[in-house]
Amino acid sequence: MRLHRLVVTAFGPFSDRQEIDFGALSDAGLFLIQGQTGAGKTSVLDAVCFALYGQVPGVRNSARGLRSDHAAPGLPPSVELETTVRGRRLRVTRSPEWHRPKKRGEGLIKENAKVVLEEFEHGAWVALSTRVGEADDVIGTLLGMTAAQFCQVAMLPQGAFAGFLRADAKGRRELLERLFSAEVFTAVENWLGERRRDTGREADALRAGAASLAGRVAEAAGEPSPHESVALVPAPRPGSGSGSGEAPFTAQETLETVEALPAWARALGVEHTDLLALQEDLLSDASDLAVTARQALEQARDLEGLQQRHAEAVRRRDDLAERAEERADLASRLDAAARADRVVRLVREADSRRRQAERARA
C-alpha cells in the first residue's frame, strides 16, 4: 500500500481543512512525522486508519466522537485518502457519525456515517460503492487484513516502540506477543502439554489394568507371578519419583510389556488345559490392551510431532523477527530501484539520439 494524499476536515484536533501530500514526501523513500506533544501526529495516523476501516486504533475509537470540538457548528467532519493498493489507485472519502444543528429551529440532528469509494480508471474517478459495509469488504479484501491486524502490523501503537527499545528480553517478548497476537503459540503449547499429561495418565491406567489381570491369572493357574516372567513393571528410573513430574514408564515400554502377555498366556494354556476358557478371555483382554496401548503410543508420537512443529514455528517466527530490519532495507532499495526505473527510458532515448548524431556527423 502506498499513500498519496490525505485531506482531513473537522476531524480530531483539526478544526478546519488540512491536506497532506504524501506523494511529495515519499519521493525520498522515507519520511518522518515529527512535532510536539499534542500537535496531531497520532491523529494523522488515526485519519488514515479511519479512512480505510471506519475506526481508529485503541481506546480512541470508543471516545465520545471523532469530530473536532473546535470546528464550526455546521462544518461536517470528513477524511479523504488517496492510496494505491495492489496496483489500484483508490480514493476513500469517509465521514463519521455526528450531530449537526437543525436548519430550522433549535437542537441537533444526527448524521449517519457515510463513505464514498472511488477508483481512478482511464483518467477519471469512477465510483465503486457508497455503502459502508460494501466499501469495507472491498478495502479489507485488497489489504488482506482486518482493522485490528492493520493496527498491529502497519501502525505501531504510540509509545510502544520506545518501550520496546528500553525493555529487556522478557519485556520485548511480551510486547511483541501483545502487538502481533502471539498468544496463540502459548495456547497451543499449553494444549500440547495438557494432552501429553492426559495421554500419560491413560497409559498408566492401562498398565495397571494389565498388571492386575496378569496377577489374577497367575494366582488362578498356580504359576510364578508374571512379574518374574515378563518385565511388566520396570524398576523406576533414578529421579523419576512422584515429585519429578515425569512418568516412570515410557509409552514404548508399556506397549512392549503388554504385548508380551499373550505369549505368556499361551504358555499357561499349554500346561493347563483346564484353564482354556480363561486363556481365551485373557488373550482377548490382552489384545484389546495391546491395541489401546498402541493407540496411546501413536497419540504420544503424534503429540511429539506437534511439539516439534510448534518449536519449529517458534524458531521461524524468531528468525523472521530478527530479519525484520533486513527486509526493511531491501524494501527501501526496491523502492529506490523503482524510482530509478522511471528515467531508464529517457537514458536509452538519449543514448539513441547520441548514436544518430554520431552517424549524422560521419
Side-chain angles (χ1 to χ4, degrees):
M1 184 182 73
R2 184 182 181 90
L3 304 179
H4 300 291
R5 178 172 165 269
L6 176 68
V7 179
V8 294
T9 304
F11 181 85
F14 306 108
S15 60
D16 53 4
R17 186 179 186 276
Q18 300 292 334
E19 180 177 349
I20 301 177
D21 186 1
F22 288 106
L25 298 176
S26 301
D27 288 341
L30 182 68
F31 61 89
L32 171 69
I33 300 177
Q34 181 183 9
Q36 298 180 354
T37 301
K41 303 182 297 297
T42 303
S43 297
V44 173
L45 302 179
D46 287 350
V48 173
C49 186
F50 176 77
L52 295 174
Y53 292 99
Q55 57 181 283
V56 297
V59 297
R60 298 187 297 279
N61 190 56
S62 59
R64 182 169 56 90
L66 297 176
R67 185 178 183 273
S68 175
D69 295 332
H70 308 286
L75 183 62
S78 66
V79 176
E80 179 183 320
L81 175 66
E82 291 185 21
T83 180
T84 298
V85 182
R86 295 187 180 183
R88 299 176 63 177
R89 182 73 174 261
L90 302 177
R91 181 169 66 185
V92 188
T93 304
R94 196 185 292 265
S95 299
E97 178 183 303
W98 69 293
H99 293 80
R100 64 171 177 82
K102 292 183 177 180
K103 297 181 179 179
R104 296 181 182 179
E106 298 180 355
L108 301 175
I109 186 171
K110 178 181 175 181
E111 290 285 347
N112 295 323
K114 300 178 182 178
V115 64
V116 177
L117 177 61
E118 302 170 283
E119 183 174 3
F120 192 76
E121 293 181 340
H122 308 296
W125 291 102
V126 179
L128 296 181
S129 177
T130 57
R131 292 185 291 183
V132 176
E134 186 179 33
D136 292 345
D137 290 341
V138 173
I139 295 174
T141 301
L142 289 176
L143 291 177
M145 293 182 290
T146 63
Q149 293 170 338
F150 180 81
C151 294
Q152 289 173 342
V153 176
M155 299 176 62
L156 195 67
Q158 186 179 22
F161 186 69
F164 175 78
L165 294 178
R166 293 192 298 267
D168 54 11
K170 180 180 179 181
R172 293 182 182 181
R173 176 180 178 179
E174 294 176 352
L175 179 59
L176 290 174
E177 288 179 349
R178 185 170 67 254
L179 292 179
F180 297 100
S181 297
E183 61 272 8
V184 64
F185 295 102
T186 304
V188 171
E189 183 178 4
N190 293 335
W191 181 87
L192 291 174
E194 184 64 27
R195 183 59 180 161
R196 178 178 62 84
R197 289 188 291 271
D198 292 342
T199 304
R201 287 192 291 266
E202 292 175 2
D204 291 341
L206 292 173
R207 185 181 64 252
S212 176
L213 182 60
R216 290 163 54 192
V217 173
E219 182 180 359
E223 293 292 330
S225 171
H227 296 76
E228 301 175 3
S229 303
V230 294
L232 185 62
V233 183
R237 300 184 188 87
S240 63
S242 59
S244 64
E246 296 292 338
F249 309 101
T250 65
Q252 184 64 34
E253 290 172 341
T254 300
L255 181 62
E256 292 174 355
T257 54
V258 172
E259 287 183 339
L261 288 176
W264 175 72
R266 291 189 185 93
L268 289 178
V270 172
E271 298 176 4
H272 305 277
T273 57
D274 56 337
L275 298 178
L276 180 59
L278 182 60
Q279 176 189 4
E280 295 297 333
D281 294 338
L282 176 62
L283 287 174
S284 177
D285 293 341
S287 299
D288 293 340
L289 288 173
V291 172
T292 305
R294 186 178 299 277
Q295 292 175 351
L297 174 61
E298 295 299 329
Q299 291 177 355
R301 289 174 177 172
D302 294 341
L303 177 62
E304 181 182 5
L306 289 174
Q307 290 176 333
Q308 292 178 353
R309 290 175 58 188
H310 170 260
E312 178 65 18
V314 172
R315 184 189 64 77
R316 292 182 59 190
R317 182 200 63 187
D318 295 339
D319 292 343
L320 291 174
E322 292 176 359
R323 300 183 61 185
E325 183 177 352
E326 179 183 353
R327 292 198 301 272
D329 180 63
L330 291 175
S332 299
R333 294 175 61 185
L334 287 174
D335 191 45
R339 293 196 304 273
D341 186 64
R342 303 172 186 171
V343 299
V344 170
R345 182 180 58 81
L346 298 177
V347 171
R348 291 177 177 174
E349 184 176 352
D351 187 59
S352 177
R353 295 291 180 86
R354 179 182 59 77
R355 290 195 298 268
Q356 292 177 3
E358 289 176 358
R359 287 195 298 267
R361 284 195 298 270

